[in-house]
Amino acid sequence: MNERAANGRRASVLAGLREFLYGMTGHEFARHAVATRASLETLFMVTCVGDMIGLPVMPPYYSLRLLPFVVPEIATWKRRVLRERQFSDEHDFELHGV
Amino acid sequence: MATQTHGEAPARTARTPALAVGESLAQFFSKHPERRYVMFGGKGGLGKTTFSAATGYWLAQHGKRVLVFSVDPQASLSDIFQMDIFGKGPVKVMDNLWAQEIDADRHIREYQDEVRAKILDMYGLDKVPDEIEDYIAAASAEPAMEESAIFDSVVDILSEGDYDYYVYDLVPLGHALYYLSMAKVYDEWIGKITHLREEMREYEEVAARMRRQKEMAEDQILGELQYIRTRINAASRILTDREKTAFFFVVIPEQMILLDTRKAAELFARFEVPVAGYIVNRVLPPELADDRAPAYLRNRIEMQRGQLAEIDRGFGKTVLARIPELERDVTGLPMIERVAELMYGDGASP
Ligand SMILES: Nc1ncnc2c1ncn2[C@@H]1O[C@H](COP(=O)(O)OP(=O)(O)OP(=O)(O)O)[C@@H](O)[C@H]1O
Ligand SMILES: [Mg+2]
């Protein structure tokens, strides 16, 4: 029930976003999508291989299954997350919205 | 057949008083032929392996093809069947009966190698990058790695074999409960990650369309996530399937054990493990308590009497058998046969 509510909320946020983006130029639109995609990527990496930076989320047996697919992202991702972490030391890493 | 080797054992222990119950273990199997995943759970050392072996023996004797398997690194099936079976796949013990002990460490090592091979193949490398290698090592050192690897191999065993019955000599309760509780959490997580991945894909699609790029290849990660989810669910279903699973709690007539068992049973109920019944082990025959018996023995029998009454009050008709204390450890087929007779020797057949 909770999850469904959350999914519903997310869906409507997405729909709203799409409407908003409609008003943008194609270029802005694409850039925004790429940026959003990048931050989702960070979140995704945290959930898959978060134990690399001390945030275990997936059962390790199965995170190994996903590892081959995220190999290229690992280097840049780790650097990005650790950099962001230094900036916001008092705001602990946010996982709640996932 | 095996009966003549009973020579060295004293006369059969006198029967314990009849139970105030309706159903016996044998009747349970005869009434529920579809419950083919049989498990014995309970605190350490109470008799799970003994009852698993005896149940396998009895079912096999009645013409059912049975696999008794264990994930216990102590190799306790090797001990009880007096055969070296650890890590050897299903080994035939007698007609219709196979035993298997999973070598979880080896399973994990082989799995790591598969992951490495996949990485080399996907990116055309000849060496796994150090950073990735470190990660594989760190992930494999976590205790949760062993739990999830074990349950994953149990899924393989149950889905690949073609036995009539699978008797799962269960690791102590804590492990099963740990896995069940984690399975729910993991399932939710994976649901969320899958959703996140789908969202990422949507954005990527938008970006690709705006940039007039070609259609994306199918997202393999989504496929993996779905696969992982089915595995985790299959593993917890093994423990919670009402139609196919028969879970028996093993207890002994001792206060601490009964308290712990009651707590565990409550947790199991919360995770919807269908408990089929209780088996009381190591019951001292009350007729030993005559005047010539040493005081400590009379006291123990007296204490057990109280606990047995407690068990009947607490578990009532779900107590399916009482097994007496035997004069020696249960190892080898003749002793296993004897336990099977004590558990199931009342006429009904599976
Ligand atoms: N009724 C009995 N009479 C005498 N010995 C018994 C009886 N039941 C079990 N035993 C012995 O008690 C010991 C422990 O039994 P078993 O190995 O079956 O317990 P377990 O629950 O599988 O233990 P673990 O939790 O370590 O796997 C064994 O040596 C077994 O032979
Ligand atoms: Mg055992």
Side-chain angles (χ1 to χ4, degrees):
Chain A
M1 20 134 228
N2 231 340
E3 191 166 344
R4 191 166 318 142
N7 285 347
R9 208 177 324 124
R10 202 174 285 134
S12 71
V13 169
L14 266 177
L17 213 75
R18 249 181 241 117
E19 235 160 73
F20 166 70
L21 292 172
Y22 226 57
M24 294 188 186
T25 66
H27 177 68
E28 278 173 303
F29 191 44
R31 223 190 31 192
H32 188 88
V34 170
T36 312
R37 168 74 171 70
S39 50
L40 288 175
E41 178 87 50
T42 302
L43 211 50
F44 180 75
M45 293 294 287
V46 170
T47 50
C48 289
V49 288
D51 34 351
M52 255 187 192
I53 53 162
L55 288 167
V57 174
M58 281 273 269
Y61 189 80
Y62 296 114
S63 64
L64 279 194
R65 263 196 96 86
L66 294 173
L67 184 64
F69 300 98
V70 297
V71 164
E73 277 94 9
I74 277 178
T76 53
W77 167 79
K78 231 173 125 177
R79 228 178 295 125
R80 180 150 34 105
V81 170
L82 292 176
R83 198 173 346 109
E84 278 170 22
R85 227 194 193 179
Q86 277 176 350
F87 276 122
S88 57
D89 247 352
E90 62 277 22
H91 304 279
D92 244 4
F93 209 77
E94 285 272 349
L95 266 178
H96 309 295
V98 183
Chain B
M1 9 162 222
T3 349
Q4 68 268 31
T5 34
H6 284 173
E8 83 279 15
R12 170 154 306 151
T13 327
R15 274 203 179 269
T16 41
L19 292 173
V21 296
E23 192 169 68
S24 72
L25 263 179
Q27 282 164 343
F28 179 91
F29 280 92
S30 123
K31 253 171 55 185
H32 303 285
E34 71 296 345
R35 293 175 82 163
R36 300 163 43 230
Y37 303 154
V38 182
M39 291 178 251
F40 294 93
K43 302 227 18 155
L46 300 187
K48 298 181 292 292
T49 302
T50 304
F51 292 162
S52 299
T55 300
Y57 184 96
W58 178 71
L59 290 166
Q61 248 188 342
H62 285 81
K64 306 293 182 192
R65 289 164 51 84
V66 189
L67 178 70
V68 180
F69 69 99
S70 157
V71 292
D72 180 0
Q74 306 289 318
S76 46
L77 290 178
S78 288
D79 289 343
I80 195 165
F81 288 119
Q82 296 178 323
M83 291 172 91
D84 179 18
I85 60 169
F86 189 70
K88 295 207 160 87
V91 176
K92 189 162 182 170
V93 173
M94 59 183 239
D95 271 357
N96 291 323
L97 182 61
W98 285 260
Q100 179 172 4
E101 274 173 341
I102 297 157
D103 182 346
D105 285 341
R106 196 178 76 197
H107 185 81
I108 292 173
R109 280 197 305 276
E110 287 170 356
Y111 176 65
Q112 289 177 331
D113 287 342
E114 279 168 39
V115 171
R116 288 192 190 98
K118 185 155 188 180
I119 291 173
L120 299 183
D121 180 57
M122 274 175 83
Y123 303 102
L125 302 169
D126 7 274
K127 185 179 166 288
V128 175
D130 289 342
E131 199 167 14
I132 307 293
E133 198 58 73
D134 291 346
Y135 175 72
I136 294 177
S140 307
E142 285 188 44
M145 174 60 104
E146 201 178 342
E147 306 284 347
S148 43
I150 282 173
F151 275 90
D152 199 78
S153 39
V154 172
V155 174
D156 277 338
I157 288 186
L158 295 197
S159 51
E160 282 163 13
D162 63 337
Y163 299 92
D164 298 321
Y165 283 88
Y166 294 85
V167 182
Y168 182 3
D169 177 12
L170 207 65
V171 288
L173 296 182
H175 293 247
L177 283 171
Y178 172 84
Y179 190 84
L180 280 177
S181 59
M182 290 316 282
K184 282 198 172 174
V185 174
Y186 288 158
D187 185 57
E188 268 168 40
W189 265 112
I190 289 168
K192 285 174 182 168
I193 300 169
T194 307
H195 190 84
L196 183 60
R197 188 74 201 172
E198 278 160 357
E199 222 167 292
M200 283 167 68
R201 223 180 125 71
E202 257 182 80
Y203 277 104
E204 197 156 82
E205 240 160 356
V206 171
R209 218 177 301 130
M210 300 308 293
R211 286 195 243 102
R212 305 231 159 72
Q213 286 173 342
K214 64 177 168 51
E215 278 293 300
M216 278 179 300
E218 196 203 342
D219 190 348
Q220 284 179 297
I221 292 183
L222 270 178
E224 283 296 325
L225 286 170
Q226 265 136 25
Y227 172 82
I228 292 171
R229 200 169 198 186
T230 54
R231 296 294 283 195
I232 288 181
N233 283 329
S236 55
R237 208 171 332 109
I238 291 163
L239 287 160
T240 55
D241 191 326
R242 269 179 197 283
E243 258 107 68
K244 298 202 191 112
T245 297
F247 186 99
F248 300 100
F249 262 113
V250 180
V251 298
I252 59 173
E254 265 176 35
Q255 195 173 21
M256 285 314 293
I257 299 291
L258 294 181
L259 283 175
D260 287 347
T261 303
R262 205 163 282 153
K263 265 187 235 151
E266 272 164 28
L267 285 170
F268 268 51
R270 206 176 306 156
F271 291 113
E272 296 173 11
V273 177
V275 175
Y278 293 81
I279 303 175
V280 189
N281 195 12
R282 291 185 171 265
V283 178
L284 292 167
E287 50 280 14
L288 288 184
D290 63 16
D291 298 340
R292 280 158 303 164
Y296 81 88
L297 184 58
R298 274 180 291 165
N299 290 343
R300 278 201 60 202
I301 291 173
E302 196 46 46
M303 180 218 50
Q304 280 204 353
R305 200 199 306 278
Q307 295 305 320
L308 286 168
E310 189 60 35
I311 289 173
D312 280 346
R313 263 198 301 280
F315 304 126
K317 291 200 171 181
T318 53
V319 179
L320 301 180
R322 278 183 188 173
I323 308 304
E325 173 85 33
L326 302 172
E327 68 289 344
R328 52 158 284 202
D329 276 2
V330 182
T331 46
L333 285 182
M335 272 311 271
I336 293 173
E337 183 187 26
R338 196 160 143 216
V339 174
E341 213 162 291
L342 289 163
M343 290 173 83
Y344 296 99
D346 64 346
S349 52

